[in-house]
Amino acid sequence: MTTDERATIPPERMLPVLNAEEKVLERIERARRRKARVREELITLAHGAGGRATRTLVEAVFLEAFRNPMLEPLGDGAVAGELAFTTDCYVVTPLFFPGGDIGDLAVNGTVNDLAMCGARPAYLSAGFILEEGFPIDDLRRIVASMAAAARAAGVAVVTGDTKVVQKGKADGCYVTTAGVGTVDPELRLGASAARPGDAVLVSGPIGDHGVTVLLARGGFDIEADLTSDTAPLHGLTARLLDTCPGRVRCLRDATRGGVATVLNEIAEASEVAVVIDEDAVPVRPAVRGTCELLGIDPLYSACEGRMVAVVDRDAADAALAALRSHPLGTGSTVIGRVADDPPGLVLLRTSFGGTRIVDVLVGDPLPRIC
Amino acid sequence: MTTDERATIPPERMLPVLNAEEKVLERIERARRRKARVREELITLAHGAGGRATRTLVEAVFLEAFRNPMLEPLGDGAVAGELAFTTDCYVVTPLFFPGGDIGDLAVNGTVNDLAMCGARPAYLSAGFILEEGFPIDDLRRIVASMAAAARAAGVAVVTGDTKVVQKGKADGCYVTTAGVGTVDPELRLGASAARPGDAVLVSGPIGDHGVTVLLARGGFDIEADLTSDTAPLHGLTARLLDTCPGRVRCLRDATRGGVATVLNEIAEASEVAVVIDEDAVPVRPAVRGTCELLGIDPLYSACEGRMVAVVDRDAADAALAALRSHPLGTGSTVIGRVADDPPGLVLLRTSFGGTRIVDVLVGDPLPRIC
């Protein structure tokens, strides 16, 4: 279907068509042949960790039932014509942590999912599931933080819902935000768009959010001066897209499962290898030290204000300069490149000159991080 | 701000402006003067019941923080230009009940919120908060039911999210759906649009859903052949709006808090009286009987496939005929009218010839009904 054909379908601009490119259709066909299967009978924490189990659950249960070309790419949001639409549930514990809380996390997270579609965020919804007995002052604090984050991101919370469940049927407060934004319908961003030779960038030090939340739970005898990196990234993505029109292949914020999970999704969807240099991956010393003590790989620790960008190799320098010129991208760096082989794998060239596979996250080392 | 001015603000059709009519601005001003205050320190089940406590919480906490003209009317959804946007959380217990489950309830509920804005529903998002240990077969059943409801309503579930919390931190499965749809930007529907003389209609027997769910929880020694009325109402609203262009003032689906709550919101927002005839309100004998045994007023029992429509008195006959011609509106009836006085109150003319005030719901007689 060409753009012109799409443009004739009413109502013309918002709902032109289910946006099916040939490559997507091919992938649908392949996915149908190679069906994901959930082997477990019961939901485990791993099903919510963003890694292999989440992926299998999403493909075997949700995609199988809802299958449509907008859902199929399983991106951060869905795009139809000029409309981008996304949702995220937030169950982070504790609700308040250094650098943020469940409120600004929920707003920034949804803003970022829209930004990763290349969209300009416009409106948010907010659904609250509250546990009986939850302090109303805590709710006020969360809502104030959401309102401040929305103002900072230039979006409005325009609709919402509140439900209350009995004591013991939730954990204080869960928030689900959805967001709509406007997007250039000619943009072709997606995990399946990476090509051999492309450069892989991150927009700053990784893993801060995950480690911060983990430490905020207490129980570790670790002193680290860390704050969550939660931030709205649509300004950063807009600057990148404006600077390198047509040269950006894919944008993903590295939340649950971290940078490793994002890179694996790109490698798998694009049927390419992603090769990264361990020494090039920016990790704050406090994050690295804490991860070593806790036995966590920073590559799997969530960020909430960092993204991975895959760009045409010829645009890498311009992209890096564009990202670094933005306050939220000063720590941007090229961490690797896309290669032909082996397709579907992420390889890490270690500081010692070796190469190891960076696999998809299995299990859930960091539950309820967002 | 006139329609012409609005039309010049880009991107032209989706995000024309925060849709502020003068009447809304007046109400904002009044609301600022007469601030709602939450007196409780802790969240109670009543804050989620849809009645007085919910209203106060929403006004004092959410509206106060997020205040903008799209949110301000506190309708079933928000409208900006041709875009309608809404969200709802579902925490119903049990998850499966006669006539439906949390899955089709969530899809139909969001479809209906869009329909009540006069919109044509297009895309839904689905966020799942799952409790560790939840049976995956139950999840499959819920998702299949959502997919079937989406197909029946002609909408696509295009984006979603799944989070898992530890055992004891949820109650199996909570679902939050959001929806976007397209709406005629000239439509002026809203709880504040009722005028003295208008006719008040309901689209069929009321209270089925609430009573069905209550009985499905067991513990009552009552045998009643009842099923939830959960259904998508956008076809019904479209027929009504097509038949009576410019004559429909307000559409509301009578969910939490039932018809009584909807009528109170209309009376308050429009500063009118709503006078209904007890004998005219359609209630199935099984619902009436069960309500009598349980001490519940059917006027406060939730429906999930019934709506209240306020229409110009001259269009009442045409509206009634239009509703009755639709499969989901065969039981439609005129239950009362809008009057001048006393403003803000709902009056019931009883079968015995008396008149009583139908007050806003206080407390929560039916927690977690949706």
Side-chain angles (χ1 to χ4, degrees):
Chain A
M1 176 166 290
T2 69
T3 305
D4 285 340
E5 280 169 343
R6 225 179 17 240
T8 64
I9 300 173
E12 299 80 7
R13 299 178 60 191
M14 195 185 126
L15 312 169
V17 79
L18 293 179
N19 186 354
E21 292 184 77
E22 277 174 34
K23 188 156 187 188
V24 171
L25 292 175
E26 270 173 38
R27 288 185 48 239
I28 295 177
E29 204 35 59
R30 263 204 307 282
R32 282 194 175 131
R33 287 196 299 266
R34 156 179 61 78
K35 268 195 181 175
R37 287 199 196 288
V38 179
R39 287 194 174 77
E40 303 83 11
E41 288 186 2
L42 303 177
I43 289 289
T44 67
L45 287 172
H47 288 116
R52 176 70 70 204
T54 304
R55 186 77 184 189
T56 305
L57 183 76
V58 167
E59 291 186 359
V61 178
F62 299 116
L63 189 56
E64 204 53 40
F66 297 138
R67 197 177 288 279
N68 61 67
M70 278 174 68
L71 177 63
E72 180 77 28
L74 298 177
D76 285 321
V79 172
E82 290 184 53
L83 175 84
F85 183 30
T86 188
T87 193
D88 262 323
C89 306
Y90 292 86
V91 298
V92 65
T93 179
L95 295 171
F96 305 95
F97 46 80
D101 59 45
I102 193 172
D104 49 20
L105 195 67
V107 168
N108 289 337
T110 290
V111 163
N112 290 348
D113 281 350
L114 291 170
M116 298 307 132
C117 301
R120 194 167 71 99
Y123 302 124
L124 300 190
S125 67
F128 296 84
I129 296 175
L130 304 175
E131 185 186 11
E132 189 183 8
F134 186 64
I136 289 176
D137 277 347
D138 284 358
L139 181 62
R140 281 186 209 279
R141 198 176 147 196
I142 290 166
V143 169
S145 155
M146 293 181 78
R151 269 192 305 275
V155 299
V157 178
V158 297
T159 188
D161 189 34
T162 310
K163 292 292 190 316
V164 179
V165 296
Q166 298 91 338
K167 206 157 178 65
K169 301 295 184 188
D171 195 5
C173 172
Y174 298 144
V175 180
T176 300
T177 39
V180 295
T182 48
V183 63
D184 173 359
E186 300 303 314
L187 262 186
R188 289 287 173 268
L189 300 176
S192 63
R195 301 179 205 167
D198 287 349
V200 179
L201 294 82
V202 296
S203 64
I206 66 167
D208 295 20
H209 176 78
V211 173
T212 302
V213 170
L214 203 64
L215 291 183
R217 287 181 199 161
F220 303 107
D221 195 18
I222 301 174
E223 288 281 328
D225 188 19
L226 279 174
T227 57
S228 168
D229 53 315
T230 178
L233 295 177
H234 59 301
L236 188 64
T237 54
R239 185 162 301 180
L240 177 62
L241 292 166
D242 288 347
T243 306
C244 312
R247 315 297 283 279
V248 180
R249 315 280 196 222
C250 173
L251 300 172
R252 296 298 289 270
D253 56 341
T255 58
R256 276 186 303 181
V259 168
T261 300
V262 165
L263 296 180
N264 268 284
E265 286 177 12
I266 293 169
E268 198 172 309
S270 295
E271 298 174 355
V272 293
V274 174
V275 185
I276 58 174
D277 295 314
E278 187 169 28
D279 290 340
V281 178
V283 183
R284 289 186 204 285
V287 170
R288 190 182 300 282
T290 308
C291 281
E292 274 171 17
L293 286 169
L294 298 175
I296 297 165
D297 186 337
L299 280 171
Y300 295 93
S301 177
C303 320
E304 291 289 342
R306 302 287 174 227
M307 66 175 183
V308 170
V310 179
V311 302
D312 187 314
R313 100 178 85 185
D314 296 336
D317 291 343
L320 188 62
L323 292 176
R324 285 186 174 168
S325 73
H326 190 281
L328 290 171
T330 52
S332 296
T333 180
V334 176
I335 61 166
R337 63 186 176 81
V338 176
D340 270 310
D341 204 58
L345 287 188
V346 178
L347 302 179
L348 181 78
R349 290 192 197 281
T350 67
S351 310
F352 307 107
T355 300
R356 69 171 175 86
I357 291 173
V358 179
D359 209 349
V360 180
L361 184 68
V362 176
D364 190 357
L366 305 166
R368 296 182 58 193
I369 218 73
C370 61
Chain B
M1 177 168 289
T2 70
T3 306
D4 285 340
E5 281 167 341
R6 225 176 19 237
T8 64
I9 300 173
E12 301 78 9
R13 299 179 57 192
M14 192 184 129
L15 312 169
V17 79
L18 295 178
N19 186 354
E21 292 184 77
E22 279 174 33
K23 188 156 188 187
V24 172
L25 292 177
E26 271 173 38
R27 288 184 50 238
I28 294 177
E29 205 33 61
R30 264 204 307 280
R32 284 196 172 128
R33 288 195 299 266
R34 155 180 63 77
K35 269 196 179 174
R37 288 199 194 286
V38 179
R39 287 194 175 75
E40 304 83 10
E41 288 185 2
L42 303 177
I43 289 290
T44 67
L45 287 172
H47 288 116
R52 177 70 70 201
T54 304
R55 185 80 185 185
T56 304
L57 182 75
V58 167
E59 291 186 357
V61 177
F62 299 115
L63 189 55
E64 203 54 39
F66 298 136
R67 196 177 291 280
N68 61 67
M70 278 175 69
L71 178 63
E72 181 76 29
L74 297 177
D76 284 322
V79 173
E82 289 183 53
L83 175 85
F85 183 30
T86 188
T87 192
D88 261 324
C89 305
Y90 293 86
V91 297
V92 64
T93 178
L95 294 170
F96 305 94
F97 45 81
D101 58 46
I102 192 171
D104 49 19
L105 196 66
V107 168
N108 289 336
T110 291
V111 163
N112 290 348
D113 281 349
L114 291 170
M116 298 308 132
C117 302
R120 194 168 70 99
Y123 302 124
L124 300 190
S125 68
F128 296 84
I129 295 174
L130 304 175
E131 186 186 10
E132 190 183 7
F134 186 65
I136 289 177
D137 276 348
D138 284 358
L139 181 62
R140 282 186 207 279
R141 198 174 148 197
I142 289 165
V143 170
S145 155
M146 292 180 79
R151 269 194 304 277
V155 298
V157 179
V158 296
T159 189
D161 189 35
T162 311
K163 291 293 190 318
V164 179
V165 296
Q166 296 92 339
K167 205 156 177 67
K169 301 295 184 189
D171 195 5
C173 173
Y174 299 144
V175 181
T176 299
T177 39
V180 294
T182 47
V183 64
D184 172 358
E186 300 303 313
L187 263 184
R188 290 286 173 268
L189 300 176
S192 61
R195 302 178 203 168
D198 287 349
V200 179
L201 294 83
V202 296
S203 64
I206 67 167
D208 294 20
H209 176 78
V211 172
T212 301
V213 170
L214 202 64
L215 291 183
R217 287 183 198 160
F220 302 107
D221 195 18
I222 300 173
E223 289 279 330
D225 188 18
L226 277 173
T227 57
S228 168
D229 54 316
T230 179
L233 295 177
H234 60 302
L236 189 65
T237 54
R239 185 163 301 181
L240 177 62
L241 291 166
D242 287 348
T243 307
C244 312
R247 315 298 282 279
V248 180
R249 314 280 196 224
C250 173
L251 300 173
R252 295 298 289 268
D253 55 341
T255 59
R256 274 185 303 181
V259 169
T261 300
V262 165
L263 296 179
N264 268 284
E265 286 177 12
I266 293 169
E268 199 172 308
S270 297
E271 297 173 355
V272 295
V274 174
V275 185
I276 58 174
D277 294 315
E278 187 169 28
D279 290 340
V281 178
V283 183
R284 290 187 202 285
V287 171
R288 189 182 301 283
T290 308
C291 281
E292 273 170 18
L293 286 169
L294 299 176
I296 297 165
D297 186 336
L299 280 171
Y300 295 93
S301 176
C303 319
E304 292 288 343
R306 303 288 175 227
M307 65 175 184
V308 171
V310 179
V311 302
D312 185 315
R313 97 177 87 185
D314 297 336
D317 291 343
L320 188 62
L323 292 176
R324 285 185 174 169
S325 73
H326 190 281
L328 290 171
T330 52
S332 296
T333 179
V334 176
I335 61 166
R337 62 183 177 82
V338 177
D340 269 309
D341 204 59
L345 287 188
V346 178
L347 302 178
L348 181 79
R349 290 192 198 284
T350 67
S351 309
F352 306 106
T355 299
R356 70 170 174 87
I357 291 174
V358 178
D359 208 348
V360 180
L361 183 67
V362 177
D364 191 357
L366 303 167
R368 297 181 57 193
I369 218 73
C370 61

